[in-house]
């Protein structure tokens, strides 16, 4: 009796929880309503089967419980029941699989008028590339990737000169225009996912994958990485904007092309140690949380960091110097900047060596000290 009641409560509780809990799909912002429909069909098929099996189990444990004078019946065959179960199961499985085939057909056939943009995934940030005015991407290769060429652009390919490069966790797309996203990864498996778009795809090192979608609702959405890709996986987030065509055009025009990036970067000369520090910052995923351009990501920006005065949560202030930066890496919660939560993990010697910290400090000194900025302007 207790088991039967437990099963009954489990079934009723699950149904109630499903319908009163606040967790459901976010509002859709793309053409992929068919993906929602497919998920909903699977949800209803599984839900009906779950309730039916659960209630049948509850009934059976009560009805056929042990009784002194009852005898079991022997019934090895029941072809009518077997037919019913076979047909019902077949229909249920077909209902779940067939819609997926129809949607997949759509998914892999990119519309002719789709424009392209590239998503570059790396531990633990995103970067984006648009083909520029010529509509053609320049070729890339991993062996070209370095501090000044984060996309691995081929310097000899004229198609690449006007490519628009966005080396941060932010991308905009115009509404009502289909886009084919080309995905690549610098290191391990990642997965580009904007929940409101519904569609997503793995970024696989060594190959270019793709999927397509059409943004349908202006707004700001989260980019998530949907593939466990290492220690910083949870920080691999970004901002995805769906703009009107005018807003998008204005935004895109303000982004640097590869040609401009080369011109802007070349004059700045870093010491060898600082260059290595920049690589440390890239590989450790520092830029997932700290920007160079003044924008607040997760942690305080690094713009103008060196020598600046920082207000701390305990009301005191500190001048940013080498000891403070080292402490902020090793024990980030000790002197926390005002307005930020203690979310950064302590980077002990097991995560980043003293040599790497030294290189990082050199990089921060050369990149963010005010004298350097004055020299640039
Ligand atoms: Cu990239 Cu998880």
């Amino acid at each position: 009796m207790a088991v039967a009641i437990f099963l009954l409560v489990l079934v009723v509780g699950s149904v109630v929880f499903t319908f009163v809990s606040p967790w459901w799909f976010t509002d859709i912002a793309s053409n992929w309503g068919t993906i929602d429909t497919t998920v909903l069909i699977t949800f209803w098929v599984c839900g009906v089967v779950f309730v039916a099996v659960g209630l049948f189990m509850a009934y059976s444990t009560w009805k056929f419980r042990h009784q002194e004078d009852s005898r079991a019946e022997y019934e090895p065959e029941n072809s009518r029941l077997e037919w019913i179960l076979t047909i019902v199961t077949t229909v249920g499985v077909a209902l779940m699989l067939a819609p997926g085939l129809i949607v997949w057909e759509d998914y892999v056939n990119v519309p002719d008028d789709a424009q392209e943009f590239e998503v570059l995934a790396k531990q633990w940030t995103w970067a984006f590339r648009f083909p520029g005015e010529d509509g053609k991407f320049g070729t890339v290769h991993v062996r070209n990737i370095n501090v000044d060429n984060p996309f691995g652009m081929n310097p000899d390919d004229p198609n690449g000169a006007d490519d628009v490069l966005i080396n941060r966790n932010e991308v905009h797309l115009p509404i009502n225009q289909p886009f084919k996203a080309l995905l690549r990864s610098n290191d391990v498996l990642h997965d580009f996912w904007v929940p409101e778009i519904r569609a997503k795809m793995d970024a696989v090192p060594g190959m270019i994958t793709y999927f397509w979608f059409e943004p349908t609702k202006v707004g700001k959405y989260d980019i998530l990485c949907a593939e466990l890709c290492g220690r910083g996986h949870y920080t691999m987030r970004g901002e995805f904007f769906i703009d009107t065509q005018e807003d998008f055009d204005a935004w895109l025009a303000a982004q640097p092309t590869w040609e401009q990036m080369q011109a802007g970067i070349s004059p700045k000369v870093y010491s060898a140690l600082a260059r290595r520090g920049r690589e440390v910052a890239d590989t450790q995923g520092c830029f997932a949380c700290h920007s160079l351009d003044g924008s607040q990501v997760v942690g305080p920006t690094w713009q103008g960091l060196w020598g600046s005065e920082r207000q701390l949560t305990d009301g005191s202030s500190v001048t940013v110097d080498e000891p403070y930066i080292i402490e902020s890496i090793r024990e980030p919660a000790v002197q926390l900047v005002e307005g930020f939560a203690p979310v950064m993990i302590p980077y002990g010697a097991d995560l980043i060596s003293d040599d790497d910290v030294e290189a990082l400090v050199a990089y921060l000194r050369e990149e963010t000290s005010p004298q350097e900025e004055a020299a640039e302007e």
Side-chain angles (χ1 to χ4, degrees), residues 337-348:
V337 175
E338 175 72 20
F340 292 91
V343 293
M344 179 169 157
I345 58 164
Y347 281 72

Side-chain angles (χ1 to χ4, degrees), residues 160-172:
D162 69 346
D163 283 12
V164 179
L165 307 179
I166 297 129
N167 193 25
R168 62 177 193 281
N169 296 310
E170 179 190 339
V171 69
H172 294 232

Side-chain angles (χ1 to χ4, degrees), residues 124 189-191 225-229 233 236:
W124 287 282
L189 207 57
H190 301 275
D191 191 299
C225 177
E227 199 72 66
L228 184 59
C229 55
H233 162 68
M236 194 165 166

Side-chain angles (χ1 to χ4, degrees), residues 121-126 185 187-192 203 224-230 232-237:
K122 49 195 169 174
Q123 288 174 321
W124 287 282
T125 58
W126 301 100
S185 166
D187 35 50
V188 300
L189 207 57
H190 301 275
D191 191 299
F192 181 74
L224 307 172
C225 177
E227 199 72 66
L228 184 59
C229 55
H233 162 68
Y234 67 100
T235 65
M236 194 165 166
R237 306 179 70 153

